[in-house]
Amino acid sequence: MKNIVLLSSAHLHADAYIHELSTVKDARIVGVYDNDTARAEAAGSRYGIPVFSALDAALDASDAAIICSENIHHEMFALETIKAGKHVLCEKPLATTPEAALRMVNAADAAGVLLMTAFPCRFSPAYQQFKQLVNSGAIGDIRALRGTNQGMCPGGWFVQKELSGGGAVTDHTVHVTDLLRDLTGSEVESVYCELGNGLLHGDFEDTGVVTLEFEKDVFATLDASWSRPKSFTTWGNVTLYAVGTKGTLEMDMFNQEGMLYSDLKGKVGVQNWGSSIDRGMVAAFVDSLLSGTLHEKAASGTDGLRAVEVVEAAYASTVALQPAKVNHRS
Amino acid sequence: MNGPTLKVAIIGAGVMGQQHARSWTQVPYATVTTICDFNLDAANKLATEFHAVATASIDSVLASDVDVVSVCIPTCFHTDTAVKVLESGKHLLLEKPMALTVADCQTIEAAAEASGKLLTIGQVVRFFPEYENAKRAIDNGAVGTPAVVRCRRGGIFPLWGTWFHDVNKSGGAIYDVGIHEIDWLLWLFGPVERVYARSLTESLGEDSKQDFALVTLRHKSGVISHMEACWADPVVSYNAFEIAGDGGLLTHDSRNNATLFLSTAEKQEAMSPLADADEPYNKQVAAFAKSIVEGAPLAVTGADGRAAIAVAAAALESSRTRKVVTL
Ligand SMILES: NC(=O)c1ccc[n+]([C@@H]2O[C@H](COP(=O)([O-])OP(=O)(O)OC[C@H]3O[C@@H](n4cnc5c(N)ncnc54)[C@H](O)[C@@H]3O)[C@@H](O)[C@H]2O)c1
């Protein structure tokens, strides 16, 4: 039985991870710690789990931690967890700078603990089959890719750069970037990004269209915009379109849904019935804890770092107004 | 070995038998030990795949020590085989439609009762996540009080079997395809009071492998359901529903639910994969295993299977007589 502690519930995904963890054998959630005590209490009663008042006590009681804090605190929580010799599943983006992400990766390596980045899209049955079709040669060699991860603006700390590190490009570039890297087996060489704040007019970017050039002869674009309005039917999407030498393959990851037009709520919304991608990811984390090595489908700390490097290059390109080379750390 | 074990036999190694074998192997404590088909080649082929014993003799299945049997043979043979399986003291997962008449359903239920073994019917649509979700949503009042419902299923004629075009063997599209919607409608909106139906079933046969039925149901609750069962499209099969109530509308159309679309010179293919544990046929078998081993209530009972047959029989009768049939 593996004991897992939740470190902060600032990120909404904590709800899903806790729920999925309750369905996984061989692991249990021992409690929550948060630097924001009011939020810790709220999470404790929402999930019906104990609240730790000190981080070291929380880590003492655990084999591993799931970090769902504001982006800026990922590094602190991860380094403390690693120092205590415990394993980490960290919400994306792994950190707000590549340097911070690299410190996390190096610390985990030195301590011999697992560091997994929360990229649940890898566990989507649609993506799994997409990858399998591509690898089996169904569309020949991939020449170009087009992706989106459009969403509603989550608001709150996500739009406070001192806590998030950036707006839509920070939040939404990393998922699809990770899928593209996983799919092509190739690193991103350079990035161009156009971004703006034309939707919400805040001091953070809410639109971002990113072009990626891979070391392999493949290019891709991805739309990371918070361009789904409040009145939209769902939170957003993850899509991928691959052009191969022998055909094309398209994915709309969350399209397994019906529509609910509700006069009671004055709202049109989707009813999604697809498989939970978080379940696969959380189960893979627990598997990793049991086996002592990272699950084959899981994203490592280095995968998290590579995505953060792409975000860094995206921002750099908006200053230079030219594609920016990705600076790969090791 | 600790914990429960289940030995499983499959009778009928056709399209559904293969599906059942695959799903049973997903249950950690179940083993498919026997495949029975009076076409021994079919039994051998499937048995090899699942390292099971092949046989053409139902009697040898009945005499064996298997705990549970999936019966996946043409509908006209369901009753005889189901009764024998239950009488031999084995649990039974019987493919839908349960049987061709209400009287036959009662015979099967009586055999289950007498043997004390569990009987469930493969009304698998209850395990399709989109249909399950609708049940939950409607029970939670998502559309207020439901008023009018439309649903449809089918498309391409099932050319893989040589028996579907014989209405005395399959019951035609109403029994074979429509039974899914009927069961789901009963599950969501309760018993049906009267039925009116039109269909092409009368002309169905060796020379006209096409059937199409439009059925209107009036539920005791007042809900009106319109159901379409289709064996008439050369290319496209799909399912869809919409449920309108005084508080809203819930819709589903499988044509809009692809998460993958492959396009090459050879083929165009839409796909919508689920995790293994969420696959409806796996869930159906897992739920039955749980009922057998843990005593969990059956998701689908013999009485449920019979209730659906009663409505299908009424619909077929209505389409033949062109008269409203009251249940
Ligand atoms: N739940 C679903 O989605 C679904 C889909 C298709 C069919 N079905 C139902 O499953 C049942 C089987 O349909 P199918 O499509 O698999 O048919 P099929 O024609 O593909 O296979 C039937 C098999 O049963 C064998 N068989 C026939 N009579 C037998 C007997 N008396 N003893 C032993 N073997 C016998 C045949 O040789 C054949 O291999 C039918 O009741 C059908 O309505 C359900």
Side-chain angles (χ1 to χ4, degrees):
Chain A
M1 182 60 69
K2 294 294 175 186
N3 293 322
I4 298 179
V5 67
L6 176 67
L7 299 182
S8 179
S9 62
H11 201 293
L12 247 74
H13 288 165
D15 283 10
Y17 299 160
I18 296 298
H19 173 72
E20 298 307 345
L21 203 54
S22 71
T23 71
V24 173
K25 268 193 307 197
D26 302 321
R28 64 165 166 247
I29 190 88
V30 293
V32 56
Y33 170 81
D34 202 325
N35 44 336
D36 178 331
T37 48
R39 197 166 56 202
E41 291 299 334
S45 62
R46 187 159 77 250
Y47 308 137
I49 55 175
V51 177
F52 291 100
S53 54
L55 181 54
D56 48 2
L59 293 172
D60 276 350
S62 318
D63 300 299
I66 297 181
I67 300 173
C68 286
S69 65
E70 298 90 342
N71 298 343
I72 198 80
H73 300 313
H74 286 178
E75 182 187 9
M76 180 277 289
F77 277 125
L79 293 182
E80 289 298 323
T81 306
I82 293 165
K83 203 164 77 188
K86 309 300 164 80
H87 307 284
V88 176
L89 170 59
C90 185
E91 183 52 56
K92 56 97 258 193
L94 188 60
T96 54
T97 65
E99 284 72 23
L102 182 62
R103 284 192 290 273
M104 293 162 70
V105 170
N106 286 342
D109 281 351
V113 300
L114 301 175
L115 172 60
M116 176 168 160
T117 306
F119 282 141
C121 293
R122 288 193 182 203
F123 296 89
S124 145
Y127 175 68
Q128 288 294 324
Q129 193 165 342
F130 191 107
K131 189 175 165 181
Q132 186 235 313
L133 284 164
V134 166
N135 290 346
S136 71
I139 58 166
D141 297 327
I142 293 190
R143 308 189 63 204
L145 291 145
R146 181 245 295 149
T148 64
N149 182 196
Q150 301 157 300
M152 269 182 215
C153 175
W157 63 263
F158 286 88
V159 301
Q160 294 170 260
K161 282 192 208 162
E162 64 282 10
L163 293 173
S164 63
V169 170
T170 293
D171 192 35
H172 269 190
T173 300
V174 291
H175 282 301
V176 174
T177 295
D178 182 64
L179 295 185
L180 295 172
R181 287 182 59 250
D182 183 54
L183 199 64
T184 58
S186 178
E187 295 300 342
V188 183
E189 198 169 61
S190 68
V191 181
Y192 184 68
C193 172
E194 286 289 351
L195 54 71
N197 67 347
L199 294 172
L200 299 156
H201 310 292
D203 64 351
F204 52 89
E205 83 277 2
D206 52 29
T207 53
V209 175
V210 185
T211 306
L212 308 174
E213 206 69 52
F214 286 82
E215 286 170 358
K216 258 186 199 168
D217 190 15
V218 177
F219 61 84
T221 64
L222 78 89
D223 186 334
S225 304
W226 285 332
S227 54
R228 305 297 95 171
K230 283 204 202 74
S231 57
F232 199 64
T233 51
T234 183
W235 61 269
N237 63 39
V238 173
T239 71
L240 215 51
Y241 180 66
V243 174
T245 49
K246 286 203 237 146
T248 63
L249 182 59
E250 187 157 19
M251 173 181 77
D252 186 353
M253 188 178 280
F254 300 103
N255 197 35
Q256 289 162 319
E257 60 196 15
M259 299 298 299
L260 177 62
Y261 303 83
S262 172
D263 281 357
L264 303 173
K265 292 184 184 151
K267 196 171 155 38
V268 178
V270 305
Q271 301 253 306
N272 191 293
W273 46 263
S275 296
S276 160
I277 61 174
D278 296 318
R279 178 167 310 168
M281 185 187 72
V282 169
F285 182 55
V286 173
D287 266 5
S288 307
L289 297 177
L290 294 170
S291 73
T293 46
L294 208 57
H295 189 276
E296 52 164 0
K297 285 179 195 151
S300 66
T302 302
D303 291 320
L305 164 64
R306 295 287 173 258
V308 174
E309 290 164 343
V310 168
V311 173
E312 176 193 46
Y315 285 125
S317 75
T318 66
V319 179
L321 295 182
Q322 288 297 338
K325 280 250 173 290
V326 180
N327 178 5
H328 294 300
R329 276 81 165 174
S330 58
Chain B
M1 190 175 151
N2 290 325
T5 58
L6 282 180
K7 286 188 189 154
V8 183
I10 312 284
I11 301 181
V15 166
M16 283 328 282
Q18 295 162 35
Q19 179 62 58
H20 280 240
R22 273 196 298 277
S23 291
W24 276 112
T25 37
Q26 298 271 328
V27 177
Y29 50 83
T31 316
V32 177
T33 58
T34 314
I35 308 282
C36 168
D37 197 304
F38 63 16
N39 172 357
L40 193 57
D41 283 348
N44 270 322
K45 202 158 155 264
L46 197 57
T48 309
E49 188 184 336
F50 291 95
H51 310 291
V53 174
T55 174
S57 144
I58 290 191
D59 288 338
S60 78
V61 176
L62 303 178
S64 76
D65 65 347
V66 303
D67 304 295
V68 51
V69 181
S70 267
V71 169
C72 308
I73 57 180
T75 307
C76 53
F77 303 128
H78 281 191
T79 308
D80 279 358
T81 305
V83 167
K84 282 187 195 157
V85 166
L86 289 163
E87 280 177 348
S88 75
K90 297 166 191 352
H91 302 294
L92 172 61
L93 166 48
L94 174 60
E95 255 308 334
K96 53 48 61 177
M98 186 170 174
L100 289 171
T101 66
V102 171
D104 277 359
C105 294
Q106 284 163 337
T107 305
I108 297 170
E109 283 178 274
E113 189 98 341
S115 72
K117 293 293 160 181
L118 294 182
L119 162 69
T120 194
I121 312 300
Q123 298 291 173
V124 71
V125 167
R126 296 196 192 197
F127 296 96
F128 275 73
E130 59 275 46
Y131 285 80
E132 217 176 0
N133 175 66
K135 165 71 173 163
R136 214 166 21 240
I138 295 310
D139 285 355
N140 291 335
V143 301
T145 304
V148 60
V149 182
R150 301 179 64 80
C151 55
R152 93 74 97 173
R153 177 170 304 271
I156 306 167
F157 189 89
L159 287 167
W160 67 81
T162 53
W163 53 279
F164 288 102
H165 63 261
D166 183 344
V167 68
N168 296 318
K169 292 183 176 161
S170 70
I174 292 174
Y175 271 75
D176 202 76
V177 190
I179 203 75
H180 286 301
E181 315 317 292
I182 293 171
D183 173 64
W184 178 76
L185 289 166
L186 293 172
W187 192 39
L188 268 75
F189 308 109
V192 164
E193 194 164 302
R194 54 180 180 269
V195 180
Y196 188 66
R198 292 287 289 114
S199 76
L200 304 179
T201 314
E202 253 170 88
S203 62
L204 178 64
E206 184 67 59
D207 303 326
S208 174
K209 288 185 178 149
Q210 193 173 51
D211 195 1
F212 184 72
L214 298 173
V215 182
T216 306
L217 308 174
R218 188 75 190 213
H219 295 259
K220 292 217 166 78
S221 62
V223 171
I224 301 164
S225 300
H226 179 270
M227 172 201 115
E228 177 181 338
C230 181
W231 269 351
D233 192 292
V235 187
V236 184
S237 289
Y238 72 97
N239 54 71
F241 63 74
E242 62 164 66
I243 304 166
D246 58 7
L249 171 71
L250 177 66
T251 68
H252 153 74
D253 188 324
S254 64
R255 291 170 300 179
N256 302 336
N257 287 142
T259 52
L260 290 174
F261 190 81
L262 174 68
S263 173
T264 65
E266 294 78 39
K267 64 171 176 182
Q268 283 73 45
E269 191 183 355
M271 290 158 275
S272 188
L274 291 163
D276 282 347
D278 295 333
E279 279 293 340
Y281 295 96
N282 294 349
K283 275 159 65 184
Q284 169 174 272
V285 159
F288 192 42
K290 210 169 157 174
S291 294
I292 295 170
V293 168
E294 296 174 26
L298 288 168
V300 183
T301 64
D304 293 332
R306 168 169 41 89
I309 295 302
V311 175
L316 193 56
E317 184 191 335
S318 173
S319 87
R320 278 181 176 147
T321 61
R322 314 263 167 108
K323 294 217 165 73
V324 175
V325 174
T326 302
L327 279 112

